[in-house]
Amino acid sequence: MHDEFGSVIEEAITLELNVSDLYFLFYKLFPDDSEFWWKLAMEEQNHAALLKTVKQMSRSELQLPKEIVPSGRNELATSNKKLLQALEDFENYPDRTKAFQFALEIENSAGELHYQSFMKYGTESRLLNVFRKLNGDDINHADRIRQYMNQHNIPEAV
């Protein structure tokens, strides 16, 4: 596996797992919204599992679409640092409104947007179709968070 590809995919996997950890924290902290957070947390773990599959496949002779992994590690690493800090902050100072606002922000970050874009608009191939089937409806997190916020009168960040 190419070293740069390997470090980017590892960072992308870490991002998905960190987002999942954050959503599991929200699940524990905000019982009124626990079902919503649980579903998103599980979907993020699914994203990480799919990326782990990509990592394994990259070791084979299988031709992977170039757009399957983000092009740079730096934005992913920055998002991961932000997520780790948020985990600590929310653990110490739970705030339901800020939790939703932060989740919306993170779902619009580079790594999450890239994943979403690949699943929706990636170059058509048998491999992409397999990933889409495995991924199922585990997309559109930002839209779903925004919709939930609107339904529950949770303001978006200004």
Side-chain angles (χ1 to χ4, degrees), residues 97-113:
T97 298
K98 287 183 181 176
F100 276 95
Q101 291 170 344
F102 186 77
L104 191 56
E105 178 185 335
I106 215 65
E107 290 295 341
N108 286 309
S109 71
E112 290 295 310
L113 282 177

Side-chain angles (χ1 to χ4, degrees), residues 1-64:
M1 175 169 42
H2 188 270
D3 286 343
E4 184 179 339
F5 178 85
S7 75
V8 171
I9 194 97
E10 279 299 324
E11 201 71 46
I13 292 166
T14 300
L15 177 71
E16 298 295 341
L17 293 174
N18 284 337
V19 173
S20 177
D21 288 348
L22 183 69
Y23 293 169
F24 278 129
L25 178 63
F26 294 166
Y27 162 81
K28 289 188 328 189
L29 293 174
F30 310 114
D32 290 346
D33 309 305
S34 62
E35 187 177 319
F36 179 78
W37 292 121
W38 179 265
K39 184 164 177 47
L40 289 181
M42 296 305 292
E43 290 174 6
E44 294 296 344
Q45 287 198 344
N46 185 40
H47 298 171
L50 289 173
L51 289 171
K52 287 177 184 178
T53 301
V54 168
K55 181 180 171 185
Q56 292 289 10
M57 293 171 81
S58 71
R59 294 180 180 140
S60 70
E61 298 296 317
L62 190 60
Q63 186 69 28
L64 294 172

Side-chain angles (χ1 to χ4, degrees), residues 77-115:
T78 299
S79 291
N80 276 318
K81 286 178 188 169
K82 191 174 186 176
L83 279 161
L84 293 175
Q85 184 61 55
L87 279 162
E88 185 178 320
D89 293 346
F90 281 108
E91 184 81 53
N92 294 322
Y93 306 102
D95 183 315
R96 180 176 181 250
T97 298
K98 287 183 181 176
F100 276 95
Q101 291 170 344
F102 186 77
L104 191 56
E105 178 185 335
I106 215 65
E107 290 295 341
N108 286 309
S109 71
E112 290 295 310
L113 282 177
H114 177 80
Y115 184 89

Side-chain angles (χ1 to χ4, degrees), residues 61-74:
E61 298 296 317
L62 190 60
Q63 186 69 28
L64 294 172
K66 290 179 182 176
E67 71 268 19
I68 201 165
V69 176
S71 59
R73 184 178 173 274
N74 290 341

